[in-house]
Amino acid sequence: MFNMNCNNYCNIYNYDYHTPTEWRYNSELEITAAEEQRELAQRLTLEADRLFGQAKDSVIKNKLDIDYQSKVKVKDIEYKCKEIEKQKGDLDEEICLLLGYQVRIENANKLLVGDALDVIAECLRLRNCRQSMDLVFDDVEKELLRERELIFGINDQLEELQDKVMLQIRKLRTFVYNLTVDLRRKKNALKIEEQNENLNEDNVEISILNNRNIFKPATISTTEWDQFTLDIVSAANKVLVDGRPIRAFFDKCLNKMFEDLVSQSAAVDLAFKLRVEEYLEVIEKLNEQRVEVCF
């Protein structure tokens, strides 16, 4: 009798048949594999949910930390802006005072060189019109020449003071410029920080987020940033403090010049008075002699 089995049937019809046992075994394998894939998918889903939650928590934590650091940064910048503005205000006030001294020195120099020297020159010219024995190099002449030399000396001192005032003003203006530039940069940084506080994932373009070239690390450390402003403010304050005694020195010099001029003017007036009295006395005696001779 012909033996009918799977292999013989395959040979007759050229088909690859399997036995029911093989089919059941293969089905069990597919079911097992599908179950494993389902379990793997569940594990992957759970892991993805866990990673998503972890990432979300990390993002929220980072955002809170960044918000806090941003607020600290804003407070720091605001404080530095106030310090810079205060220092700049002190420098501007000092410059204004020095400009007042500059005007005083210019006016004093103009009066001395112009009016006072012209008066002395006219006095000397008129006294040179004396004739014969009356052309005496007397105390009046000496005091007038001494007063002229005093004015020349004071004029030199005023010019020296003027140079010192202008030098100090230039120094202060240099620091005013440096503080102004730093203040402008600080306010720009403050504006950026304030804008960053209002940013979120809804108002930032994806193209910006995907552009890695934007997120280049800063090359200046926080310490260097703090030290930069501190150095400018400290240097400006040093120039300001060191320069303030100059105004006291100016006052002292101007007062001394005024006292010397007043003293010398009094000496000239006294010399004129004594000389006039001497002339009057001699004239009176000459008149008496003339009267006696006539009678």
Side-chain angles (χ1 to χ4, degrees), residues 6 17 20 43 50 88-89 91 93 116 132 178 205 226 231:
C6 185
Y17 280 86
R43 289 197 300 271
R50 186 186 68 81
K88 181 177 175 296
L91 293 178
E93 182 180 357
S132 186
N178 293 336
E205 295 182 5
D226 288 332
D231 289 343

Side-chain angles (χ1 to χ4, degrees), residues 28-242:
E28 290 177 358
L29 289 178
E30 290 181 352
I31 292 172
T32 301
E35 182 65 22
E36 290 177 353
Q37 291 297 321
R38 186 184 66 79
E39 292 177 355
L40 178 60
Q42 288 180 346
R43 289 197 300 271
L44 290 176
T45 301
L46 292 175
E47 181 66 14
D49 291 339
R50 186 186 68 81
L51 293 176
F52 176 78
Q54 185 178 359
K56 184 178 180 180
D57 292 340
S58 178
V59 169
I60 294 175
K61 181 180 179 181
N62 288 337
K63 185 178 184 303
L64 293 175
D65 184 58
I66 291 173
D67 290 343
Y68 172 76
Q69 294 296 334
S70 178
K71 291 179 180 179
V72 172
K73 190 69 172 180
V74 167
K75 294 293 183 182
D76 192 15
I77 295 175
E78 289 176 345
Y79 173 77
K80 282 183 170 53
C81 286
K82 291 180 181 179
E83 287 293 308
I84 294 173
E85 288 175 344
K86 179 180 180 302
Q87 189 65 56
K88 181 177 175 296
D90 292 340
L91 293 178
D92 288 334
E93 182 180 357
E94 184 70 14
I95 289 174
C96 184
L97 292 174
L98 289 176
L99 288 174
Y101 276 87
Q102 187 177 16
V103 172
R104 288 175 58 189
I105 293 172
E106 289 175 352
N107 292 337
N109 203 358
K110 181 179 178 181
L111 290 174
L112 288 176
V113 175
D115 298 341
L117 287 179
D118 289 344
V119 171
I120 293 174
E122 182 64 13
C123 286
L124 292 173
R125 186 188 69 80
L126 292 175
R127 298 194 89 244
N128 284 333
C129 294
R130 291 172 296 170
Q131 298 177 357
S132 186
M133 188 58 65
D134 286 328
L135 190 59
V136 180
F137 187 72
D138 53 12
D139 290 340
V140 175
E141 196 88 4
K142 294 177 183 178
E143 294 300 335
L144 284 173
L145 293 175
R146 188 176 291 116
E147 186 176 34
R148 187 180 67 172
E149 291 302 318
L150 175 63
I151 290 175
F152 281 140
I154 290 177
N155 179 55
D156 293 338
Q157 294 179 42
L158 288 175
E159 290 181 353
E160 184 179 353
L161 289 177
Q162 181 83 329
D163 292 339
K164 290 182 178 179
V165 170
M166 293 177 64
L167 177 61
Q168 183 66 10
I169 290 175
R170 283 196 294 268
K171 287 182 180 179
L172 295 175
R173 282 176 173 170
T174 298
F175 282 101
V176 168
Y177 172 79
N178 293 336
L179 290 172
T180 301
V181 172
D182 192 36
L183 180 61
R184 183 172 65 248
R185 292 172 178 171
K186 291 292 185 295
K187 288 185 176 181
N188 181 60
L190 183 62
K191 182 179 179 181
I192 292 174
E193 293 294 340
E194 290 174 347
Q195 289 177 344
N196 288 340
E197 290 183 357
N198 299 322
L199 291 179
N200 54 52
E201 62 277 6
D202 296 328
N203 54 20
V204 178
E205 295 182 5
I206 300 299
S207 59
I208 295 178
L209 295 176
N210 293 332
N211 188 354
R212 295 185 177 181
N213 293 327
I214 294 179
F215 304 102
K216 292 182 179 180
T219 57
I220 299 176
S221 65
T222 304
T223 303
E224 292 174 333
W225 181 78
D226 288 332
Q227 193 64 39
F228 180 80
T229 300
L230 180 61
D231 289 343
I232 293 179
V233 173
S234 298
N237 186 65
K238 185 177 185 304
V239 172
L240 181 64
V241 172
D242 292 344

